[in-house]
């Protein structure tokens, strides 16, 4: 649905359609009963509209208020030549963003876990 003409958010790519490649990674934020926000990345290709009921969905297009600028994660990838063809890059950016939203100083093991579902 998010890639439809109604939304026009084409950053989340549909590649495998089975949740194995991570090109469709998006961030879902949910307010828990204690009032705290919980952020987690999901594969959009596996999510249904019902899965997202009452939650906030962030795609790569929503990382900055003005689409003319890059989020610092995107800028860091660009500055360090961190992509190849770029097709998987939105999913990788969202995996990094999801980690950044949950841990401002992640350990190596947390980084490895966050990137585990993204293939390039």
């Amino acid at each position: 649905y998010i890639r439809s003409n109604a939304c026009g958010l084409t950053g989340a790519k549909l590649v495998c359609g089975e949740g194995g490649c991570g090109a469709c990674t998006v961030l879902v934020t949910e307010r828990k009963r204690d009032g705290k926000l919980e952020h987690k990345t999901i594969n959009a290709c596996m999510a249904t509209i019902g899965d997202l009921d009452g939650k906030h969905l962030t795609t790569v297009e929503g990382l900055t208020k003005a689409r003319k600028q890059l989020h610092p994660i995107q800028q860091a990838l660009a500055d360090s030549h961190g992509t190849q063809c770029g097709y998987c890059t939105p999913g990788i950016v969202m995996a990094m963003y999801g980690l950044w939203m949950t841990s401002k100083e992640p350990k190596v093991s947390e980084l490895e876990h966050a990137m585990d579902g993204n293939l390039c």
Side-chain angles (χ1 to χ4, degrees):
Y1 175 78
I2 62 173
R3 293 184 49 79
S4 71
N5 288 337
C7 293
L9 302 173
T10 59
K13 306 296 185 226
L14 179 59
V15 180
C16 73
E18 298 175 349
C21 70
C24 65
T25 303
V26 294
L27 182 78
V28 174
T29 304
E30 178 179 15
R31 185 172 303 278
K32 297 310 228 176
R33 289 188 174 156
D34 61 5
K36 293 182 181 178
L37 296 177
E38 178 183 73
H39 307 283
K40 62 181 177 180
T41 55
I42 64 166
N43 292 321
C45 71
M46 301 297 290
T48 66
I49 294 293
D51 294 333
L52 303 174
D53 184 41
K55 299 172 183 152
H56 180 83
L57 175 72
T58 304
T59 66
V60 71
E61 292 91 349
L63 295 184
T64 60
K65 291 181 181 178
R67 290 190 184 179
K68 295 178 183 176
Q69 65 188 40
L70 296 176
H71 184 274
I73 292 171
Q74 294 168 307
Q75 190 65 57
L77 273 174
D79 290 347
S80 61
H81 309 286
T83 63
Q84 293 181 50
C85 76
Y87 200 77
C88 63
T89 304
I92 289 172
V93 167
M94 292 308 296
M96 289 180 178
Y97 182 71
L99 176 61
W100 181 73
M101 290 297 290
T102 59
S103 177
K104 299 300 182 199
E105 294 185 28
K107 298 175 184 168
V108 172
S109 61
E110 292 174 307
L111 179 58
E112 290 171 347
H113 178 71
M115 301 305 296
D116 192 37
N118 294 84
L119 304 177
C120 181

